[in-house]
Amino acid sequence: MARISFLCINLLMVLFLTQPVLQAREKTFTVVIDAGHGGKDPGARGTVINEKEINLSVALKLGDKISASHDDVKVIYTRKNDRFIELDERANIANRNKADLFISIHTNSVKKGSTARGTETYTLGLARTDENLAVAMRENSAILLEDNYEQKYEGFDPNSSESYIIFEFMQNKHMEQSIGFASEIQKCFVSAKRADRGVRQAGFLVLRKTSMPSVLVELGYISNRDEEHFMKSSDGQNKLANALFDAFTRYKKEYDRKQGGVSGGNSSSGSVTTSVETSYFADEQVEEGVAPGSEQDILNRKKKSSVSSQKRQSTTTAARTKSVTTGKIVYKVQILTSDKKLSSGAKVFKGYKNVDYFVEKGIYKYTCGETTDFDSIRKLRRQVAKDFKDAFIVAFKDGKKVKY
């Protein structure tokens, strides 16, 4: 009898001690990995392999790496085999699963010339160059293989430049996070010795309806014989997947920090450190090194146009907090961003009062709450997250944004 009691006590102790581990493995972050094309849609054609095969292989390798290194991340694929998935359904998969991040993987190609090489990462927006527009047209032409695509996409013609005007008026509340993640991807590709063609914008239908930060990655040029063989090889695919994995790990670490928590991953990668100032809001390229067609000029123009606004706002914020919080770190919850100033009673604030804002790199960033107590701001963020899923914590000291 005593032996049975002893065993029961041991069993209870094991359950008690392992409970935190089980909780730590709760899937709190969802990433959807989209392998472009598939099935009857081969994508760009190479001499020895087609785009759809490269995309799928890299997507599966990336997902395996994330699953193996991040216990708290749920990985979902739009396809895990060679089948055709409609463009709007790819976005629907991400939305139905309430994904926190969407990564669409593709391979580039040009009709004339075989010297084009390198990687580029796109976010949703209006293409500013003919080259970017051509990439979007090629990727969007997949809808021509869908039934009733005219009705489904409201008359959108992927081969008509006029159709792409709609992307000029689209407001993407996840623009900041998308650009930040895209920048991380390109930096990791550079570390992997890939030619950097920059972060760009274009009107991709697969990104249009996603309700989370989203990017479309072009791994390289299948029209370039050397790049085609690199992307076909197991070594090349592993290098590409590793670069994407490193970028994801950096993004996830920053995401966790903003949520006021600790990353649930157990990655041992040595290149995952980053900071909000150097990675998410700083200009990513030296002017002389900007790749042809890079969208960095768009960000630079926004930065220049907002210099005076930033100075005024910095002065206002410092004056407001100086009297009671001089020398202390003040925490707030950032709830949304906008490329223009919003009125205090705007519907997007969902009735929240005392909403404040600051301007950074030409983007208005709106916050609520203000406290020097970190535990209090964590509680507030959890409450606010019910209305603003992507809310996160930001910190200020003497009116200036700081890391914490």
Side-chain angles (χ1 to χ4, degrees):
M1 187 69 178
R3 179 177 176 80
I4 295 176
S5 299
F6 179 75
L7 291 174
C8 289
I9 291 173
N10 281 343
L11 179 60
L12 289 173
M13 289 181 66
V14 170
L15 291 174
F16 177 78
L17 292 173
T18 57
Q19 185 67 19
V21 176
L22 295 174
Q23 291 177 348
R25 292 180 179 177
E26 181 184 358
K27 304 298 184 181
T28 58
F29 187 99
T30 300
V31 57
V32 170
I33 302 176
D34 171 44
H37 306 281
K40 61 183 178 181
D41 176 17
R45 297 179 182 273
T47 57
V48 294
I49 193 172
N50 290 329
E51 175 185 359
K52 66 177 183 178
E53 300 170 60
I54 297 172
N55 299 343
L56 180 60
S57 182
V58 173
L60 294 176
K61 291 178 185 297
L62 171 60
D64 286 344
K65 293 176 186 298
I66 292 175
S67 295
S69 299
H70 293 273
D71 293 336
D72 62 334
V73 176
K74 181 179 182 180
V75 177
I76 295 175
Y77 302 92
T78 56
R79 68 181 182 96
K80 296 183 69 175
N81 49 41
D82 185 22
R83 64 192 186 105
F84 180 74
I85 306 291
E86 298 176 342
L87 286 188
D88 62 343
E89 176 58 17
R90 296 170 189 264
N92 290 339
I93 290 172
N95 292 336
R96 285 197 301 269
N97 286 280
K98 298 180 179 179
D100 298 286
L101 189 65
F102 179 82
I103 308 171
S104 189
I105 298 176
H106 290 259
T107 305
N108 218 334
S109 178
V110 289
K111 292 182 179 180
K112 295 181 179 180
S114 59
T115 59
R117 62 188 302 111
T119 62
E120 55 205 51
T121 304
Y122 285 87
T123 62
L124 185 66
L126 180 66
R128 304 289 176 174
T129 68
D130 291 339
E131 182 182 4
N132 292 3
L133 178 60
V135 174
M137 284 182 169
R138 184 176 65 79
E139 300 295 0
N140 290 335
S141 65
I143 68 171
L144 300 177
L145 299 174
E146 300 180 21
D147 296 331
N148 302 317
Y149 74 89
E150 297 95 338
Q151 292 77 20
K152 185 184 302 183
Y153 298 97
E154 301 170 343
F156 183 89
D157 181 357
N159 296 317
S160 171
S161 58
E162 287 79 8
S163 289
Y164 290 81
I165 297 298
I166 63 171
F167 293 101
E168 183 174 11
F169 307 103
M170 295 189 68
Q171 293 294 320
N172 184 359
K173 66 178 182 178
H174 301 291
M175 175 181 65
E176 180 186 347
Q177 296 99 315
S178 298
I179 292 176
F181 181 45
S183 299
E184 292 292 357
I185 290 174
Q186 287 305 119
K187 287 196 295 184
C188 289
F189 276 140
V190 170
S191 296
K193 309 302 181 184
R194 300 288 291 144
D196 178 20
R197 296 177 61 85
V199 175
R200 307 184 177 205
Q201 289 181 316
F204 293 97
L205 292 175
V206 73
L207 302 181
R208 184 179 65 160
K209 292 185 178 180
T210 54
S211 58
M212 71 289 302
S214 306
V215 299
L216 185 145
V217 183
E218 295 285 0
L219 299 172
Y221 281 80
I222 200 172
S223 52
N224 181 311
R225 185 67 63 87
D226 292 337
E227 292 224 317
E228 179 187 8
H229 283 284
F230 172 78
M231 293 186 290
K232 180 179 182 295
S233 70
S234 177
D235 179 61
Q237 292 172 1
N238 279 325
K239 287 182 178 179
L240 292 167
N242 281 334
L244 290 171
F245 168 73
D246 286 345
F248 172 83
T249 300
R250 293 183 179 190
Y251 179 89
K252 178 61 166 53
K253 183 176 181 179
E254 186 62 25
Y255 173 91
D256 289 336
R257 190 189 69 80
K258 289 180 177 180
Q259 306 306 309
V262 178
S263 176
N266 56 12
S267 171
S268 59
S269 173
S271 60
V272 300
T273 57
T274 186
S275 72
V276 68
E277 297 301 330
T278 58
S279 296
Y280 279 74
F281 306 118
D283 292 332
E284 295 295 332
Q285 300 183 18
V286 177
E287 288 297 327
E288 295 180 355
V290 174
S294 171
E295 296 302 315
Q296 191 61 47
D297 61 329
I298 299 175
L299 299 179
N300 289 341
R301 284 198 298 271
K302 286 186 175 182
K303 177 183 177 181
K304 292 177 182 178
S305 67
S306 66
V307 169
S308 59
S309 178
Q310 290 183 55
K311 289 181 178 179
R312 289 195 301 271
Q313 182 58 27
S314 178
T315 301
T316 302
T317 303
R320 184 166 53 245
T321 61
K322 184 176 181 180
S323 60
V324 293
T325 60
T326 300
K328 298 180 180 179
I329 293 181
V330 176
Y331 301 102
K332 301 182 180 183
V333 178
Q334 184 171 317
I335 55 177
L336 57 84
T337 62
S338 174
D339 57 1
K340 60 184 178 181
K341 187 175 181 180
L342 304 174
S343 65
S344 59
K347 291 183 179 180
V348 292
F349 296 134
K350 302 181 180 180
Y352 279 73
K353 304 297 183 184
N354 300 320
V355 172
D356 199 359
Y357 75 92
F358 62 101
V359 181
E360 195 170 38
K361 302 298 180 184
I363 299 176
Y364 289 85
K365 302 179 180 182
Y366 292 86
T367 65
C368 68
E370 182 173 324
T371 179
T372 58
D373 181 58
F374 190 69
D375 287 337
S376 296
I377 205 65
R378 291 182 66 180
K379 291 178 182 178
L380 178 61
R381 193 208 68 80
R382 287 194 290 269
Q383 296 172 0
V384 172
K386 296 176 182 178
D387 296 307
F388 298 94
K389 177 185 175 183
D390 300 305
F392 59 87
I393 299 169
V394 290
F396 297 85
K397 185 175 182 180
D398 296 333
K400 296 182 179 180
K401 188 177 177 185
V402 296
K403 294 182 289 183
Y404 62 92

